[in-house]
Amino acid sequence: MNSVWALLASIALIRTTLSNYLPEKLRLYISAQFEEWTRRFNTDETMVFKDYQSSKMNQLFQAANLYPGESLPTISIPRVTVEKTENVRNLTFSMEKNTEMIDVYENIPMKWKYFSEYSQGMSKHEIRWYELSFHKEYKSLVTKCYLPYILERANKIKERNRVVQLHTAAHDFWTPKPVIIQHPMTFETLAMDGNLKKELVEDLDRFMNSKEYYQQIGKVWKRGYLLYGPPGTGKSSLIAAMANHLNFDIYNLNLSAVSSDFVLQNLLLSTANRSILVIEDIDCSIKFQNRESGIEQPIKYQQQNKVTLSGLLNFFDGILSCCGEGKILVATTNYKDRIDPALLRAGRMDMHIYLTYCTFSAFKQLALRYLEISDHSLFHHIQKLLPKVKVSPAEVAGELMKTRDPKASIEGLIKHLEEKLIADGNSEVSPKHHSSLSQTSNCQVHESSISLPLACNGASMDNVKSSGPKPDVSVKSKLTADGEGDNNFEKTDLVRDRSSGHNILQVIEDMEKELLSYKEAIMALQKKLCRTLNKLAEIKATI
């Protein structure tokens, strides 16, 4: 014991002597050589990850903050920090200050330590860092494999834990506080044609797993989708399902609120990676001329346009679209033919998805979700009615939600569909549209069965008079149809104005043409009424 104390005293004396009598440069040299000598006997190597590097957040520190926390719930460690904020889905675990844990990678132990202290001086701030220690023979494995693995795992943890948020543009910038989207729609609950849904999900998954492939072929890792079809067919619900499936934020852009092409480019640059940029009703939000339609755009729209077609094309696939990765662009419209074909080509809109009215396949998905049934004896009635009625999936879902009893719910839906069928069959017919309604029918239509009121643009023939002398001319007409009542037409003093040369025969010819148009329109209406009655008889026979 005395020899140990003597050795320590000798070391202290030597250290004091070196500090007092040796020059500083010589002391530093001796110290460096001593550390080099002791390092030969040390088998471990340590890497330090500070929170900030050159005033910017260190990505390796962020990754180290997330990665060890995934294993902490299963490791015996004295102290663990647990957090839960509104911007993350799950609980997050992290190491407490001055604690350590062991991670095993490729059967090699990796020791993690977390440190934290406050800086000295007037403005005190917290300094945080992680230390990673491992056997020095595995240094190459750590730098080439382990650290990239940590970065990749941390990104997946961050994507899995974050909640989907909605960003909107205001005053040429994205709003600083996005809204958390809590839309429950998923592809499992989305009422959509089964084959089309499967094709879309496979396309999304294939895109997400093709980052290296896109780099290999020299293409920007992005994808464009066009959703088109009648209103109310589920375009917005499909976007929500895509966002929940990918766990991507949504950036909703109204082109009419963008002041210039320059602002449009800045908005694109400020969207986050792995996000969905949505332009709803692209044909309505700004008046772009379809250059292949042959219709010149009105001057007032040309003056109102703040974003040009060229600016939008560059926005879709110009050089600025190369900034960022994993971005998805979704445009919606009710009228695909109103969009310039240049916006629709591959590379801008890679996949065109037509969303139609509710099909029988979509109805079966709704029935399974809302009524928890996959088949019913009344399903064949729905299958016959849906092709004849234009009804959206949302409207069908609304009818199924009225009661939880399957039989009563389906009967209510059948009644609703039949009422819509009758309403569509009894729509008003305009004379100028009579040609579109004149179709063959099983009903026999006889001209003699139609009673026609006689009129001329709602104006009295008494107005057709001359201020000059009147010859003794009077016209009386009487029309009778099927012996039912008399449609009396008595007009007097129909004369020729000799001074102006106005011929009464021209007036009568114009009247006859208008009456014939009304006659044809009423005949077409009667045919359509007969077809409706036949359809109702068929429906009644099947019940």
Side-chain angles (χ1 to χ4, degrees):
M1 189 66 179
N2 293 332
S3 60
V4 173
W5 285 109
L7 177 62
L8 292 176
S10 300
I11 294 175
L13 179 61
I14 294 172
R15 182 176 179 182
T16 304
T17 303
L18 292 175
S19 300
N20 294 334
Y21 297 103
L22 291 180
E24 182 179 2
K25 291 184 178 181
L26 182 59
R27 290 201 313 269
L28 293 176
Y29 174 78
I30 295 174
S31 176
Q33 292 299 319
F34 180 77
E35 291 180 1
E36 179 68 24
W37 180 74
T38 56
R39 190 180 294 117
R40 296 178 182 179
F41 300 96
N42 188 6
T43 59
D44 288 343
E45 187 154 340
T46 301
M47 292 184 177
V48 179
F49 309 121
K50 296 182 179 180
D51 53 357
Y52 282 91
Q53 193 72 29
S54 301
S55 72
K56 293 183 179 180
M57 177 61 75
N58 187 352
Q59 292 185 358
L60 281 171
F61 176 84
Q62 290 179 313
N65 225 11
L66 290 171
Y67 172 73
E70 192 176 36
S71 303
L72 286 177
T74 60
I75 296 178
S76 177
I77 189 171
R79 293 175 63 86
V80 176
T81 301
V82 185
E83 295 177 322
K84 174 67 174 73
T85 64
E86 63 177 4
N87 293 329
V88 296
R89 294 179 182 271
N90 307 312
L91 298 175
T92 56
F93 299 86
S94 58
M95 297 173 62
E96 185 68 8
K97 180 172 61 174
N98 300 324
T99 58
E100 65 178 48
M101 63 164 285
I102 303 295
D103 181 39
V104 178
Y105 178 77
E106 300 289 341
N107 296 323
I108 301 170
M110 305 288 180
K111 181 183 293 186
W112 287 91
K113 294 181 180 180
Y114 175 63
F115 299 94
S116 173
E117 66 181 17
Y118 284 90
S119 63
Q120 302 296 326
M122 296 295 294
S123 58
K124 292 185 178 181
H125 62 277
E126 186 179 16
I127 301 175
R128 300 171 300 165
W129 72 94
Y130 281 93
E131 290 186 359
L132 172 62
S133 300
F134 50 88
H135 197 285
K136 61 182 180 181
E137 68 175 305
Y138 300 118
K139 182 177 181 179
S140 177
L141 176 70
V142 170
T143 55
K144 295 180 179 180
C145 299
Y146 185 56
L147 293 183
Y149 168 77
I150 290 175
L151 289 170
E152 181 182 358
R153 288 289 301 163
N155 285 332
K156 290 182 178 180
I157 295 171
K158 183 167 61 175
E159 292 293 329
R160 185 176 65 245
N161 286 343
R162 77 173 186 178
V163 296
V164 177
Q165 296 180 318
L166 174 65
H167 305 255
T168 56
H171 306 294
D172 296 339
F173 296 96
W174 297 115
T175 52
K177 293 184 179 180
V179 180
I180 296 177
I181 300 178
Q182 296 179 335
H183 201 301
M185 183 60 69
T186 63
F187 280 113
E188 288 73 20
T189 58
L190 179 66
M192 183 181 176
D193 179 76
N195 293 330
L196 182 59
K197 182 192 298 187
K198 180 181 178 182
E199 182 181 356
L200 175 58
V201 172
E202 290 177 350
D203 188 82
L204 289 170
D205 292 341
R206 184 166 52 251
F207 168 73
M208 292 306 302
N209 296 324
S210 302
K211 179 179 179 180
E212 292 77 11
Y213 175 73
Y214 273 74
Q215 293 176 344
Q216 178 183 344
I217 62 177
K219 289 192 64 176
V220 181
W221 188 36
K222 64 183 182 65
R223 192 81 172 152
Y225 297 90
L226 176 70
L227 312 182
Y228 68 100
T233 51
K235 292 184 280 292
S236 298
S237 297
L238 177 55
I239 294 173
M242 293 171 65
N244 286 329
H245 179 73
L246 301 172
N247 202 27
F248 278 14
D249 281 2
I250 296 177
Y251 288 80
N252 191 49
L253 181 61
N254 181 5
L255 288 179
S256 61
V258 180
S259 60
S260 66
D261 290 343
F262 177 74
V263 172
L264 184 65
Q265 294 173 359
N266 287 338
L267 288 172
L268 174 63
L269 290 174
S270 56
T271 56
N273 293 336
R274 297 175 178 263
S275 61
I276 299 177
L277 178 61
V278 178
I279 305 177
E280 291 193 280
D281 298 322
I282 190 173
D283 59 304
C284 299
S285 58
I286 191 167
K287 300 296 181 181
F288 288 126
Q289 177 188 353
N290 184 338
R291 295 171 294 180
E292 295 187 0
S293 66
I295 302 175
E296 188 69 22
Q297 188 185 45
I299 296 178
K300 64 176 182 178
Y301 288 145
Q302 296 177 10
Q303 296 173 347
Q304 290 175 0
N305 284 358
K306 301 174 183 177
V307 176
T308 64
L309 178 60
S310 174
L312 192 61
L313 294 177
N314 291 328
F315 175 79
F316 280 175
D317 64 353
I319 189 66
L320 291 177
S321 66
C322 302
C323 302
E325 58 181 18
K327 294 182 180 181
I328 292 178
L329 174 65
V330 178
T332 71
T333 179
N334 297 333
Y335 308 99
K336 180 182 177 182
D337 56 341
R338 295 181 182 178
I339 303 177
D340 193 289
L343 292 170
L344 303 179
R345 72 167 177 80
R348 292 171 180 150
M349 294 296 157
D350 303 287
M351 188 174 184
H352 299 186
I353 302 173
Y354 177 64
L355 299 175
T356 183
Y357 291 107
C358 188
T359 62
F360 184 63
S361 172
F363 160 75
K364 292 181 69 176
Q365 297 176 51
L366 290 171
L368 182 62
R369 189 201 321 168
Y370 289 93
L371 305 178
E372 298 180 352
I373 58 173
S374 58
D375 196 10
H376 195 276
S377 59
L378 297 175
F379 272 17
H380 70 281
H381 294 288
I382 305 293
Q383 189 173 11
K384 290 181 179 179
L385 286 170
L386 282 178
K388 304 175 184 178
V389 183
K390 293 181 178 179
V391 57
S392 67
E395 192 173 351
V396 173
E399 291 296 322
L400 296 179
M401 290 177 63
K402 291 182 178 179
T403 175
R404 298 296 299 273
D405 179 63
K407 185 174 184 297
S409 180
I410 297 176
E411 287 177 347
L413 177 59
I414 293 175
K415 181 180 178 181
H416 177 74
L417 295 177
E418 291 176 346
E419 290 175 351
K420 285 185 67 71
L421 183 64
I422 295 173
D424 293 341
N426 288 312
S427 59
E428 293 185 3
V429 182
S430 174
K432 63 182 179 182
H433 295 132
H434 69 275
S435 60
S436 65
L437 299 176
S438 301
Q439 300 174 356
T440 57
S441 173
N442 294 329
C443 295
Q444 298 294 325
V445 180
H446 303 280
E447 294 185 18
S448 61
S449 65
I450 303 175
S451 178
L452 297 178
L454 197 56
C456 181
N457 293 332
S460 172
M461 289 298 295
D462 292 336
N463 296 330
V464 186
K465 293 184 179 180
S466 169
S467 59
K470 303 177 183 178
D472 186 12
V473 179
S474 65
V475 178
K476 294 186 178 180
S477 177
K478 183 177 182 181
L479 298 179
T480 306
D482 292 340
E484 296 181 1
D486 292 340
N487 288 315
N488 294 328
F489 174 60
E490 180 176 352
K491 302 296 175 184
T492 60
D493 299 332
L494 296 177
V495 299
R496 173 186 294 181
D497 187 347
R498 297 180 184 276
S499 61
S500 62
H502 183 72
N503 195 341
I504 191 173
L505 292 178
Q506 184 64 41
V507 177
I508 294 175
E509 289 176 0
D510 293 341
M511 185 189 305
E512 288 176 343
K513 291 179 181 178
E514 185 170 290
L515 290 174
L516 286 175
S517 67
Y518 279 104
K519 176 182 177 181
E520 293 175 357
I522 295 175
M523 291 175 62
L525 179 60
Q526 187 171 13
K527 289 180 181 180
K528 190 168 184 179
L529 178 61
C530 291
R531 290 197 303 271
T532 303
L533 292 173
N534 288 338
K535 291 178 181 178
L536 292 176
E538 293 175 1
I539 294 173
K540 185 176 180 181
T542 59
I543 298 177

